[in-house]
Amino acid sequence: MAVYLVTGGAGFIGSNLVEELVRQEAQVRVIDNFATGKPENLKPFEGKIDFREVDICDLKALMEAVRGTAYVLHQAAIPSVPKSVIDPIASHNADLTGTLHVLWAAKEAGVKRVVYAASSSAYGENPELPKREEMPARAISPYGLMKYVGEEYCRLFTQLYGLETVSLRYFNVFGPRQDPSSQYSGVLSRFITAMLDGRRPVIFGDGEQSRDFTFVANVVQGNLRACHAPGVAGKMYNLACGRRVDLNEVVTQLNQILGTSLVPVYEPSRVGDIKHSLADISHAATELQYTPSVQFEEGLRTTVEWYRQNL
Ligand code: UD1
């Protein structure tokens, strides 16, 4: 039976991938160094997965962990734009050198395919919407740049070494197990946990900025399709819902779900914040057979319920 390796499997997106693979009774190996991932995210899968505490920056340990696997779902990263601005070297090591290690280890181990967690932040400040894969990348943060160069490494490994790779540009993913504890955490995790606690959500700017918020189950589906779709090696796809929602609307919907009437606190915009983000997902639809099966409202309800039960 084919073994799936999830790097960063104790993190938010990684642990959701692990959950689905375990549900499908696949053989799952997981590595994490617990830099941002948490042991409790893997607790429900104890005894069902082969967990190894490995840092992707440790090439020797990584090569050992990749051996014998067929599909590598590479999620391990320091997944933060602001952190990459504060400490670009740490982000470079984890996000780019770490990715090069994963690709090299996968090539050496004869892995069938690597699916890489890329990021919409590669598009940068180009205001044109929706974002199409053909548009040039123009990152405005070290994180966006590294995630973009990671894609290029994937493409090159396919071209040079015949290692099959697929890059998926995630757009503002949210859902169960997203860590709300840092000021840089994803906005939905911040809003939901504040409002569940009866606190007013803080909006940076006028709240009219919008994002293509993508429920994590859609990202899981996209990854699994990317493992098996024919004729896609070396390619990159947007992974999103193809619809944007602004932050004022998010707060309105959360008030409805929670039965509250909390008014946001408006603070100055974040430096480098982009105004709108929206993906064209037609390539993923036709070539990966990807369809975002959970729409924003349903994902929001599920996520609220999860935080209600787990906080
Ligand atoms: C960006 C990237 C995303 C990447 C993520 C990692 C884009 C389009 N998206 O997300 O691909 O994975 O960084 O860091 O480049 N906000 C508030 N209040 C809060 C928190 C945030 O108003 O408490 C606002 C932000 O200013 C921003 C929006 O909410 O306008 C979304 O912020 P966030 O969730 O941090 O994600 P992005 O910066 O869009």
Side-chain angles (χ1 to χ4, degrees):
M1 200 156 113
V3 179
Y4 289 79
L5 173 69
V6 182
T7 74
F12 157 49
I13 298 173
S15 64
N16 278 280
L17 276 163
V18 171
E19 181 174 13
E20 177 58 18
L21 288 166
V22 166
R23 198 191 63 76
Q24 294 185 6
E25 297 181 358
Q27 280 205 42
V28 191
R29 191 176 298 169
V30 175
I31 62 170
D32 208 292
N33 68 346
F34 298 122
T36 57
K38 297 196 210 105
E40 60 260 37
N41 284 342
L42 293 175
K43 261 240 139 52
F45 319 118
E46 253 170 31
K48 296 180 180 155
I49 59 170
D50 168 9
F51 175 75
R52 305 176 185 193
E53 189 168 342
V54 170
D55 187 329
I56 56 170
C57 291
D58 178 349
L59 181 59
K60 194 160 167 271
L62 178 66
M63 289 182 80
E64 186 63 40
V66 174
R67 195 173 304 138
T69 64
Y71 300 100
V72 175
L73 303 169
H74 176 36
Q75 313 301 308
I78 299 179
S80 166
V81 169
K83 275 191 198 168
S84 78
V85 175
I86 294 163
D87 187 353
I89 294 171
S91 291
H92 186 106
N93 287 336
D95 297 347
L96 193 51
T97 308
T99 293
L100 178 57
H101 285 175
V102 168
L103 290 169
W104 183 256
K107 167 205 160 295
E108 290 290 291
V111 159
K112 278 204 176 102
R113 195 173 280 183
V114 175
V115 180
Y116 168 63
S119 168
S120 62
S121 53
Y123 288 111
E125 63 192 345
N126 181 343
E128 195 182 326
L129 292 180
K131 304 294 182 203
R132 288 170 293 105
E133 289 89 344
E134 296 78 18
M135 286 165 59
R138 195 158 301 153
I140 51 169
S141 67
Y143 177 74
L145 180 64
M146 289 161 208
K147 279 285 164 183
Y148 171 62
V149 179
E151 289 173 8
E152 286 289 286
Y153 262 126
C154 287
R155 183 183 59 73
L156 206 57
F157 265 68
T158 301
Q159 196 178 312
L160 285 180
Y161 307 113
L163 172 69
E164 294 202 357
T165 63
V166 179
S167 295
L168 301 174
R169 278 193 187 171
Y170 298 168
F171 281 66
N172 293 78
V173 187
F174 73 101
R177 291 195 285 275
Q178 188 167 32
D179 180 3
S181 64
S182 140
Q183 57 167 318
Y184 306 127
S185 298
V187 65
L188 292 185
S189 71
R190 303 282 296 162
F191 282 9
I192 295 170
T193 52
M195 291 173 74
L196 270 172
D197 203 27
R199 285 180 285 119
R200 296 165 65 189
V202 176
I203 290 184
F204 301 127
D206 59 11
E208 284 173 20
Q209 69 264 51
S210 61
R211 295 291 184 269
D212 194 334
F213 291 111
T214 307
F215 186 63
V216 67
N218 298 325
V219 171
V220 169
Q221 182 215 129
N223 270 270
L224 299 183
R225 297 209 186 270
C227 284
H228 304 290
V232 296
K235 297 183 86 171
M236 176 273 281
Y237 298 92
N238 289 336
L239 205 61
C241 265
R243 207 189 115 200
R244 63 190 170 89
V245 182
D246 76 37
L247 294 189
N248 291 321
E249 171 64 19
V250 169
V251 173
T252 302
Q253 289 200 24
L254 282 173
N255 271 320
Q256 277 167 7
I257 294 170
L258 296 167
T260 51
S261 44
L262 292 158
V263 179
V265 178
Y266 290 90
E267 291 190 1
S269 297
R270 270 185 184 164
V271 178
D273 216 22
I274 60 158
K275 192 72 182 172
H276 303 294
S277 177
L278 172 71
D280 178 330
I281 54 171
S282 55
H283 287 332
T286 52
E287 294 173 33
L288 303 177
Q289 271 68 57
Y290 162 77
T291 35
S293 49
V294 183
Q295 291 301 312
F296 177 70
E297 292 75 12
E298 185 190 346
L300 197 61
R301 282 178 190 279
T302 304
T303 309
V304 167
E305 207 38 56
W306 186 85
Y307 283 115
R308 214 198 286 273
Q309 285 174 19
N310 290 276
L311 271 187

